Amino acid sequence: MRKKQFKAESKKLLDMMINSIYTNKEIFIRELISNASDAIDKLYFKSLTDDSVGLSKSDFKIQIDTNKDERTITITDNGIGMTADELESNLGTIAKSGSLNFKKDNEEAKENDIEVIGQFGVGFYSSFMVASKVEVVTKAFGEDVAHKWVSEGVDGYTIEECEKENAGSVITLHIKEDTDNEDYSQYLEQYRLSELIKKYSDYIRYPIQMEMTHSVPDKDNEGEYIEEVSVETLNSMIPLWRKNKSEITEDEYNEFYKNKFMDFEDPLAVIHSKTEGQATFDALMYIPSNPPYDFYSKEYEKGLQLYTNGVLIMDKCPDLLPDYFSFVKGIVDSADLSLNISREVLQQDFQLKVIAKAIDKKIKNELKKMLKNDREKYEKFFSVFGIQLKWGVYSNYGAEKDGLKDLIMFKSSKENKYVTLSEYIESMPEEQESIYYACGESPEKIALLPQIEAVKAKGYDVLYFTDDVDEFAIQMLMEYNGKKFANICKDELNLNTEEEKKALDEKNEASKDMLDEMKSYLDDEVSSIKFTNSIGSHAVCLSAEGYVSLEMAKVFSQMPGGNQGVKAQLVLEINSEHKVAEKLFELFKDDKEKLKSYTKILYNEARLISGLGVENPTEFADMITDLM
């Protein structure tokens, strides 16, 4: 029997497939089972209009057998089978896909719930990654003669007639011998094959059966065990996400989540939807109660599991989730995706973008619904993942801020609990022009800031920003419903009446010589010193002028490489109504040396209040001791 040669381009492609196209050898079982499922689908489709098929849907199955002694794996299906010409065409020319042609020629198959998976006709050849020889015995439905295709790889293949009773195909892989780098024998183990089938092909719609061996108690000999062999169906067949919501209990959703994504806690929310239109897909997504253990590490990978017609294509598809929703776990199943040649990585196509956009909208809508209908649950969610949403507002130059701004919350000075920006505005006094905020390590520490006292005295609420990203996000947001944001620790804070403002300006002008003298004692530590009447009963505070606030400067200083050259322009503000102001005027007139000490003490005091720390604590302590 003459050995036939693959075409030159097919020979090159086969060599590429074995050595580089597929990055994970274990997927060979996924590809062969998917092909078997396709063959069954084709015959099932035919049975809908041809009574001679003589099989109902429940009669179809895929059988897996292993033989360790002979080092073989056999995959058997009772599908449509192939003729000699189809063997020649489909297996003799790599990337010739009978499944793809079937899909094109039978558009009505979709209407009859027929789901053919194959697209490229290359998956079959992934078997050569683990097999030194592959045999295919197949008989096409309606044919009298069966044929056998045999190949050992790039050297070519043979086709000859053989005996086979029923339609379908039997694929036998002769598994390679182990090497120092590769353990091929693992694929001959029942548990390993069962694990791979569960991982990749759990939702193939036909039973995948294999003999499984278990140790069971020996009824005749107490305390002893015997090996029991039984044929088991390894796949669950019906994906939970394809069932109607009304058929699924909360416990079923939760158990599926915990088993699938290895979490011990029930999820906080479940998003189950079916979308039809530009892209048709099923999605089952979960919002965890707590972040995964590695969520904030470099090792964490975001992404949803991606299936096409129940077959796992990617364990984590990052393109389906924006970074601000990276905590979401779940599954997307679509038949409309354009796959690349290895069925491992998606091409960046229009359908993928449509699905990602739809998923983003669904998650946002679910969170809005939770915020409206279950405030306690939303606040629990926000306390865990709110920082992600705030990063979403800030990142990508604020491209997503409009979709996220109604979901972010901050604790406030009045409420002492989370409020949304919308709720803040609703409770604002009519004369209040800005949304006031202050930054710090915690609400408790922010509440002690001198500026808080003056703002609260006006009857205004203050939002507490305690995360590094908060002020950056608000700067990106710029305003909310026409109200601009105002940092109460910035020098442009304006709480005075026109009369108060005029009086303060006159006092600063009259005190210019003294204030300039005091500034000279601090070198370039501050950009200016001035009197204020906006810090209540406190003597002194620090504010900042320009874009960079005190907290933003702290964040920059914590980045690798120090402050990156970014500093806040500090302003030392002294309470014009405090007794210390009178003392400063006395010292300016009578004791410039002591004025210098007072200036440095007040500056370091202001730094401590602002959480900046004292640069020379020894000098500071000595000056206070001398003063005492």
Side-chain angles (χ1 to χ4, degrees):
M1 179 174 49
R2 186 174 65 86
K3 180 177 286 188
K4 300 183 179 183
Q5 297 295 312
F6 291 113
K7 293 181 179 179
E9 62 272 19
S10 292
K11 190 180 263 190
K12 185 176 181 180
L13 181 56
L14 178 56
D15 184 64
M16 287 174 59
M17 290 190 60
I18 295 172
N19 295 299
S20 61
I21 287 181
Y22 288 102
T23 58
N24 192 355
K25 288 181 170 58
E26 67 186 29
I27 56 84
F28 79 92
I29 194 69
R30 176 192 73 183
E31 297 299 317
L32 296 180
I33 288 175
S34 295
N35 289 345
S37 176
D38 289 347
I40 293 174
D41 266 333
K42 293 171 189 176
L43 189 56
Y44 171 59
F45 179 65
K46 189 174 185 65
S47 74
L48 299 177
T49 55
D50 187 345
D51 293 337
S52 67
V53 173
L55 296 171
S56 64
K57 192 170 185 178
S58 61
D59 295 322
F60 293 108
K61 67 176 182 178
I62 300 167
Q63 179 70 38
I64 312 292
D65 295 292
T66 62
N67 188 317
K68 287 186 178 181
D69 294 333
E70 297 183 6
R71 295 185 67 80
T72 60
I73 301 173
T74 304
I75 298 98
T76 305
D77 69 72
N78 55 346
I80 194 76
M82 287 181 280
T83 64
D85 289 341
E86 287 169 337
L87 268 176
E88 181 78 49
S89 177
N90 295 337
L91 300 191
T93 305
I94 299 174
K96 171 74 173 179
S97 175
S99 294
L100 181 59
N101 293 337
F102 176 83
K103 290 173 77 173
K104 289 178 179 177
D105 297 340
N106 297 279
E107 287 298 325
E108 68 272 23
K110 193 171 185 179
E111 299 173 9
N112 288 283
D113 199 26
I114 307 296
E115 299 176 341
V116 175
I117 302 160
Q119 290 190 29
F120 294 97
V122 298
F124 169 79
Y125 294 92
S126 64
S127 55
F128 284 104
M129 291 190 299
V130 299
S132 56
K133 182 169 76 171
V134 180
E135 299 175 2
V136 180
V137 173
T138 183
K139 182 179 182 181
F141 174 78
E143 293 285 311
D144 295 326
V145 179
H147 293 85
K148 183 177 183 179
W149 182 97
V150 180
S151 176
E152 295 182 2
V154 293
D155 287 342
Y157 60 94
T158 60
I159 298 177
E160 62 179 327
E161 290 187 7
C162 64
E163 296 294 324
K164 190 178 187 307
E165 186 176 351
N166 299 315
S169 298
V170 180
I171 300 174
T172 302
L173 309 183
H174 294 263
I175 302 301
K176 295 177 180 178
E177 296 293 334
D178 296 338
T179 67
D180 291 339
N181 298 320
E182 295 290 348
D183 175 20
Y184 295 107
S185 296
Q186 62 176 305
Y187 303 117
L188 296 168
E189 299 292 342
Q190 293 177 353
Y191 78 91
R192 180 64 172 141
L193 278 179
S194 174
E195 179 185 75
L196 294 177
I197 289 166
K198 195 73 178 171
K199 177 179 178 180
Y200 290 108
S201 306
D202 196 35
Y203 305 114
I204 291 290
R205 299 188 308 157
Y206 305 101
I208 303 171
Q209 297 182 339
M210 185 168 73
E211 283 190 349
M212 297 295 291
T213 304
H214 300 284
S215 292
V216 297
D218 188 346
K219 296 177 182 178
D220 300 325
N221 298 292
E222 187 175 347
E224 295 186 11
Y225 287 80
I226 58 173
E227 299 290 298
E228 184 176 271
V229 179
S230 60
V231 175
E232 296 181 14
T233 297
L234 304 178
N235 57 324
S236 56
M237 290 181 279
I238 302 175
L240 187 69
W241 57 86
R242 289 202 178 178
K243 293 182 179 180
N244 293 324
K245 293 181 187 178
S246 59
E247 300 174 358
I248 308 171
T249 66
E250 183 179 350
D251 285 343
E252 286 177 314
Y253 276 128
N254 292 345
E255 286 305 309
F256 180 85
Y257 165 75
K258 287 188 284 190
N259 291 331
K260 190 76 171 174
F261 300 105
M262 293 178 288
D263 198 345
F264 296 105
E265 294 186 71
D266 290 340
L268 201 62
V270 180
I271 306 170
H272 186 186
S273 66
K274 182 177 182 64
T275 302
E276 295 181 348
Q278 288 179 308
T280 298
F281 65 94
D282 294 288
L284 178 56
M285 296 175 288
Y286 294 90
I287 297 174
S289 294
N290 287 297
Y293 72 94
D294 61 343
F295 187 62
Y296 295 106
S297 71
K298 293 181 180 179
E299 287 71 34
Y300 181 77
E301 296 178 65
K302 69 168 183 172
L304 301 176
Q305 287 191 338
L306 184 65
Y307 287 77
T308 181
N309 292 326
V311 176
L312 179 65
I313 301 300
M314 292 182 70
D315 190 50
K316 289 180 181 175
C317 181
D319 296 322
L320 289 175
L321 284 177
D323 286 342
Y324 50 83
F325 287 149
S326 59
F327 52 84
V328 174
K329 301 290 185 182
I331 287 156
V332 171
D333 190 351
S334 176
D336 293 341
L337 298 170
S338 298
L339 306 180
N340 71 4
I341 194 169
S342 67
R343 262 204 299 224
E344 288 181 310
V345 184
L346 283 170
Q347 295 171 345
Q348 298 299 312
D349 64 359
F350 174 73
Q351 293 150 324
L352 179 63
K353 293 176 182 176
V354 169
I355 292 174
K357 187 175 180 180
I359 286 171
D360 180 58
K361 185 176 180 180
K362 287 180 188 298
I363 299 172
K364 286 174 181 171
N365 287 341
E366 178 65 25
L367 292 175
K368 288 175 183 176
K369 186 170 70 174
M370 189 192 300
L371 174 60
K372 180 180 179 181
N373 301 329
D374 194 337
R375 181 59 174 246
E376 184 179 350
K377 181 186 282 189
Y378 187 81
E379 289 190 10
K380 180 181 177 183
F381 156 77
F382 195 82
S383 67
V384 177
F385 297 113
I387 192 170
Q388 296 297 121
L389 305 190
K390 290 181 282 190
W391 273 113
V393 170
Y394 171 71
S395 62
N396 199 20
Y397 302 100
E400 298 296 330
K401 63 182 181 181
D402 289 338
L404 295 171
K405 63 183 181 182
D406 292 323
L407 292 171
I408 60 176
M409 311 171 82
F410 303 95
K411 288 188 175 178
S412 77
S413 61
K414 272 187 180 179
E415 299 291 338
N416 196 28
K417 64 180 183 180
Y418 280 121
V419 297
T420 65
L421 296 177
S422 176
E423 290 165 346
Y424 180 95
I425 286 180
E426 287 173 9
S427 64
M428 281 171 55
E430 190 173 338
E431 72 276 9
Q432 185 178 342
E433 297 179 353
S434 302
I435 300 172
Y436 295 112
Y437 69 87
C439 307
E441 292 180 21
S442 67
E444 293 76 19
K445 288 189 177 182
I446 297 174
L448 299 175
L449 290 173
Q451 296 91 332
I452 289 283
E453 186 176 320
V455 177
K456 290 178 72 174
K458 292 283 186 179
Y460 301 155
D461 198 2
V462 181
L463 296 177
Y464 293 159
F465 287 8
T466 55
D467 290 322
D468 288 347
V469 69
D470 288 350
E471 193 169 14
F472 292 92
I474 290 304
Q475 293 284 358
M476 192 63 69
L477 201 55
M478 293 173 49
E479 58 87 27
Y480 182 86
N481 288 3
K483 299 289 185 180
K484 291 188 176 181
F485 295 91
N487 185 342
I488 68 170
C489 295
K490 297 286 283 289
D491 74 323
E492 72 265 18
L493 185 65
N494 185 11
L495 298 175
N496 297 323
T497 63
E498 288 302 317
E499 291 78 12
E500 290 171 333
K501 184 178 180 182
K502 182 179 179 182
L504 190 62
D505 287 344
E506 289 175 352
K507 185 160 189 175
N508 277 307
E509 183 62 31
S511 309
K512 186 175 186 303
D513 290 344
M514 183 186 75
L515 297 175
D516 286 346
E517 179 82 15
M518 293 172 66
K519 182 180 181 302
S520 69
Y521 300 149
L522 299 177
D523 297 323
D524 295 326
E525 294 296 319
V526 297
S527 59
S528 67
I529 300 177
K530 67 180 183 178
F531 285 111
T532 183
N533 57 8
S534 298
I535 56 176
S537 61
H538 300 274
V540 68
C541 77
L542 276 181
S543 64
E545 59 184 6
Y547 176 77
V548 181
S549 70
L550 292 171
E551 287 303 313
M552 293 171 79
K554 288 181 192 176
V555 174
F556 284 123
S557 70
Q558 293 165 5
M559 291 181 176
N563 60 20
Q564 309 293 312
V566 179
K567 288 185 177 182
Q569 295 181 11
L570 301 181
V571 177
L572 180 61
E573 298 192 33
I574 301 168
N575 190 342
S576 63
E577 307 300 322
H578 199 279
K579 288 184 178 181
V580 76
E582 298 176 18
K583 187 67 175 178
L584 292 174
F585 283 113
E586 292 176 14
L587 295 175
F588 179 62
K589 183 179 179 182
D590 302 326
D591 191 342
K592 296 284 181 69
E593 193 61 36
K594 187 169 281 189
L595 177 65
K596 182 176 182 180
S597 295
Y598 267 59
T599 301
K600 290 189 175 183
I601 289 171
L602 288 173
Y603 172 62
N604 284 310
E605 187 179 311
R607 286 186 64 90
L608 285 172
I609 292 170
S610 299
L612 294 178
V614 177
E615 293 184 353
N616 190 337
T618 302
E619 180 189 42
F620 181 51
D622 289 344
M623 286 189 295
I624 292 177
T625 303
D626 292 342
L627 186 64
M628 293 171 66

